[in-house]
Amino acid sequence: QSKAGGRDMARFFTPEMNERAQTRLRIESSLRHAIERNELSLHFQPRVDAQSSRLVGVEALLRWQHPAWGAVSPAQFIPIAEDSGQIIAIGAWVIARACEQHATWRRDGVGTVPVSLNMSVLQLRDGDVVEVLSEALRMHDVNPSDIEIELTESNLMDAAENSLSQLHALKALGVVLSIDDFGTGYSSLNYLNRFPIDKLKIDQSFVHRMLEDPTDLAIVRAIVGLGHTLGLQVVAEGVETPLEAGTLKAAGCDELQGYLIAKPMPPDELARWLAKRRETADDAA
Ligand code: C2E
Ligand code: MG
Ligand code: MG
Ligand code: MG
């Protein structure tokens, strides 16, 4: 019986599948040492007020520099870290680093820069993420309202009751909660209402297509309308051109993020970027 099953497996296990599985395994085993070997870092991407163009915060984005492979994209390694459970430790590292960086910028006179970080729903389900976050806030003396948590819509829908209570516990710490990649999952208005969220981030696929496809523009407008009806702020990400920015502003988006404003940068570069912006603003005044 089991032997026949094995033969069936072998028949369907094509060379390409085998290679993919090998790659996953290699990533998983290298990732296990990535934190201790200092291969992880955070880059930060500015987000601005759509009306005033003032900086409203930065998003922390995880970077993995492997000694042999070079930069590995989070889009590739995060799902593997989720499958292997390593996301719990990596996620805790991101929380600590993001809070530490916020405190460092404040200490160095760069300013009070609100930081948002991406959190996997698995951290809500399996980890002691509420304790990890409250400890990081305390340790670095960070005002909770200066930290924002981004949770991806698609996973959030699968969240069980326990995740919902964790979400409420996070909210009770005083942090800002937002739903990332909004519009790509299966939202129901019911759950949007039940979740203690503050913001929606429109998925960048809509932003990239909205100038060519009227349906995507209609979706962008609908998300803004929905968000505002529910009392939520609406953020657009992946903004690459002035025309996109103008369209999003006209649609009523509250905040903009994307390469048009700036790419994700290491902390020092972000500090220089901020200083340069301030200079330009002073020159204008
Ligand atoms: P995300 O949270 O939706 O982040 C936005 C992604 O879009 C980032 O890719 C960013 O670099 C990229 N991006 C920003 N502006 C533009 C633009 O104008 N055009 C285009 N084409 N792309 C833009 P990145 O850094 O590769 O991250 C990919 C995804 O990996 C993130 O999507 C997030 O889901 C996940 N991720 C990143 N860091 C973390 C983390 O610390 N924890 C968790 N759980 N997930 C993370
Ligand atoms: Mg995000
Ligand atoms: Mg996103
Ligand atoms: Mg994403």
Side-chain angles (χ1 to χ4, degrees):
Q1 174 74 37
S2 79
K3 233 178 169 177
R7 264 204 304 276
D8 281 348
M9 286 296 288
R11 189 142 42 92
F12 289 110
F13 213 57
T14 64
E16 304 90 82
M17 283 164 77
N18 191 38
E19 211 183 334
R20 274 192 56 188
Q22 293 290 332
T23 303
R24 283 184 76 90
L25 274 176
R26 272 197 292 271
I27 288 179
E28 188 187 320
S29 79
S30 283
L31 204 48
R32 203 161 289 138
H33 310 287
I35 293 179
E36 67 201 55
R37 291 180 184 164
N38 267 317
E39 293 167 9
L40 298 183
S41 65
L42 293 179
H43 281 195
F44 298 87
Q45 186 178 35
R47 201 174 60 246
V48 298
D49 183 285
Q51 297 303 325
S52 69
S53 296
R54 277 171 49 182
L55 182 89
V56 286
V58 295
E59 177 175 4
L61 292 156
L62 192 54
R63 296 292 176 258
W64 180 20
Q65 187 70 28
H66 186 278
W69 311 330
V72 185
S73 162
Q76 184 169 30
F77 71 80
I78 293 284
I80 295 172
E82 290 183 324
D83 287 347
S84 66
Q86 297 174 83
I87 193 66
I88 304 296
I90 291 172
W93 183 89
V94 169
I95 290 169
R97 273 293 301 127
C99 290
E100 185 189 10
Q101 188 59 60
H102 175 85
T104 302
W105 281 325
R106 201 183 43 201
R107 188 200 59 210
D108 294 350
V110 173
T112 302
V113 186
V115 175
S116 47
L117 58 94
N118 295 281
M119 185 180 283
S120 165
V121 172
L122 294 183
Q123 291 173 264
L124 285 185
R125 204 190 66 188
D126 301 336
D128 50 354
V129 75
V130 180
E131 277 159 58
V132 169
L133 179 58
S134 68
E135 175 60 19
L137 293 169
R138 196 195 54 76
M139 176 142 146
H140 299 290
D141 194 22
V142 176
N143 189 339
S145 63
D146 285 331
I147 298 295
E148 182 174 323
I149 310 287
E150 301 188 3
L151 290 140
T152 298
E153 184 197 22
S154 49
N155 312 326
L156 205 54
M157 270 309 276
D158 309 329
E161 286 302 314
N162 178 46
S163 308
L164 185 58
S165 73
Q166 291 273 80
L167 215 51
H168 279 283
L170 278 181
K171 187 66 221 165
L173 291 179
V175 297
V176 178
L177 296 182
S178 64
I179 300 187
D180 206 349
D181 301 348
F182 190 79
T184 55
Y186 330 85
S187 306
S188 75
L189 299 179
N190 187 34
Y191 102 90
L192 271 186
N193 224 7
R194 268 163 43 117
F195 286 0
I197 48 166
D198 305 287
K199 278 187 193 183
L200 301 178
K201 283 188 95 167
I202 302 174
D203 189 72
Q204 46 182 291
S205 59
F206 299 111
V207 174
H208 295 151
R209 293 189 308 245
M210 70 180 179
L211 294 176
E212 284 91 55
D213 188 341
T215 310
D216 287 299
L217 182 56
I219 291 173
V220 167
R221 292 193 175 123
I223 294 175
V224 174
L226 171 67
H228 287 173
T229 301
L230 295 173
L232 309 173
Q233 298 260 96
V234 182
V235 184
E237 63 180 346
V239 185
E240 294 180 355
T241 68
L243 191 56
E244 285 170 352
T247 305
L248 291 161
K249 203 170 137 177
C253 274
D254 301 290
E255 297 174 2
L256 306 179
Q257 182 178 340
Y259 295 163
L260 175 68
I261 295 118
K263 294 206 168 181
M265 300 170 264
D268 297 356
E269 199 179 323
L270 185 99
R272 284 194 297 275
W273 182 86
L274 274 175
K276 205 166 157 213
R277 256 172 84 94
R278 282 199 193 108
E279 247 171 54
T280 320
D282 289 346
D283 286 350

